[in-house]
Amino acid sequence: MQSPVTLILIAVTALVSWLAFKDRRVVDRLILWPPAIARRREYWRLVSYGFLHADFPHLLFNMVTLFFFGRLIEQVMQQITGSALTYPLFYLAALVVSILPSYLKHHADPRYFSLGASGAVSAVLFAFILISPWSLIFVFFIPAPAILYAVFYVGYSIWMDRKGGDSINHSAHLAGAAFGIMFMLAMEPRLLQVFLQQLMNPSFG
């Protein structure tokens, strides 16, 4: 088994989400709800919210994405640092970092809730894009170069975050994406040069 942490994260997330689908008490205990953190100091919610999902399609999309990209990033991080702990710490930190903008914005709002692994999955996805920008990824079964998808993803997330009107936490997507790139560069600064070289020499595949 070359990517045990990714598979464990998927299994735990699927299990917790499934339990939450059946029992509202699980949701109430784990969801990101700012007053519970600010007043009750339930800081675990800054991580536990990422193991909940709104419904099965939401869970499936995130876990499929994590499966395809997380395994490679797990292996790359272990090769660079020599530690199997780097990747799980990266993932858990991504959950915290990606939700912080939302938490700070809504810290006094008792009507605000957030859940889902999308912020951390975005961090994994953009870490992959940094090391392989011209790889073809499938967006709703349509192949697209990873770097072009990244441009669209960021632009769309910024637009929707400003527009509002849906239940998707676009700021978490943006914060997660930025964290994924910054973490990779902090871990191995030479990746920036590799990225720029690849960007100037397209090779689809």
Side-chain angles (χ1 to χ4, degrees), residues 27-40:
V27 178
D28 293 339
R29 190 61 173 165
L30 301 181
I31 198 169
L32 190 286
W33 184 48
I37 298 171
R39 301 172 189 171
R40 304 178 192 170

Side-chain angles (χ1 to χ4, degrees), residues 24 26-35 37 44-54 58 62 95-96 98-104 106 109-120 166-173:
R24 178 66 197 186
V26 176
V27 178
D28 293 339
R29 190 61 173 165
L30 301 181
I31 198 169
L32 190 286
W33 184 48
I37 298 171
W44 67 79
R45 292 176 183 266
L46 292 169
V47 172
S48 62
Y49 81 95
F51 293 89
L52 300 172
H53 286 80
H58 184 206
N62 276 336
L95 286 174
V96 176
S98 64
I99 203 62
L100 279 180
S102 300
Y103 170 69
L104 294 174
H106 299 280
D109 185 358
R111 297 171 298 176
Y112 181 81
F113 299 91
S114 188
L115 78 175
S118 300
D166 62 13
S167 59
I168 299 174
N169 191 343
H170 297 284
S171 69
H173 295 177

Side-chain angles (χ1 to χ4, degrees), residues 8-23:
I8 290 170
L9 286 171
I10 291 171
V12 172
T13 303
L15 176 61
V16 174
S17 294
W18 178 74
L19 291 173
F21 294 157
K22 300 177 62 177
D23 189 344

Side-chain angles (χ1 to χ4, degrees), residues 17-199:
S17 294
W18 178 74
L19 291 173
F21 294 157
K22 300 177 62 177
D23 189 344
R24 178 66 197 186
R25 292 174 297 179
V26 176
V27 178
D28 293 339
R29 190 61 173 165
L30 301 181
I31 198 169
L32 190 286
W33 184 48
I37 298 171
R39 301 172 189 171
R40 304 178 192 170
R41 300 183 179 180
E42 296 178 358
Y43 299 117
W44 67 79
R45 292 176 183 266
L46 292 169
V47 172
S48 62
Y49 81 95
F51 293 89
L52 300 172
H53 286 80
D55 49 38
F56 181 73
H58 184 206
L59 171 65
L60 182 63
F61 181 83
N62 276 336
M63 294 304 99
V64 168
T65 304
L66 183 59
F67 177 78
F68 282 110
F69 299 104
R71 293 176 299 160
L72 175 64
I73 296 304
E74 179 180 348
Q75 294 170 25
V76 168
M77 288 185 173
Q78 184 164 354
Q79 289 172 1
I80 292 175
T81 66
S83 174
L85 294 176
T86 305
Y87 176 73
L89 291 176
F90 161 74
Y91 186 87
L92 296 176
L95 286 174
V96 176
V97 172
S98 64
I99 203 62
L100 279 180
S102 300
Y103 170 69
L104 294 174
K105 181 178 179 180
H106 299 280
H107 71 278
D109 185 358
R111 297 171 298 176
Y112 181 81
F113 299 91
S114 188
L115 78 175
S118 300
V121 171
S122 292
V124 171
L125 176 60
F126 273 72
F128 172 84
I129 292 171
L130 179 67
I131 64 176
S132 190
W134 292 109
S135 291
L136 292 178
I137 62 177
F138 288 84
V139 184
F140 299 109
F141 304 104
I142 301 174
I147 189 63
L148 297 185
Y149 172 75
V151 172
F152 171 80
Y153 183 92
V154 170
Y156 177 78
S157 295
I158 292 174
W159 178 59
M160 288 302 297
D161 186 50
R162 293 178 177 177
K163 178 183 177 182
D166 62 13
S167 59
I168 299 174
N169 191 343
H170 297 284
S171 69
H173 295 177
L174 292 167
F179 177 76
I181 293 172
M182 290 188 293
F183 188 96
M184 292 292 287
L185 293 178
M187 183 177 59
E188 179 48 84
R190 289 176 295 181
L191 286 174
L192 178 59
Q193 182 179 356
V194 174
F195 170 76
L196 294 175
Q197 289 175 345
Q198 291 190 73
L199 206 59

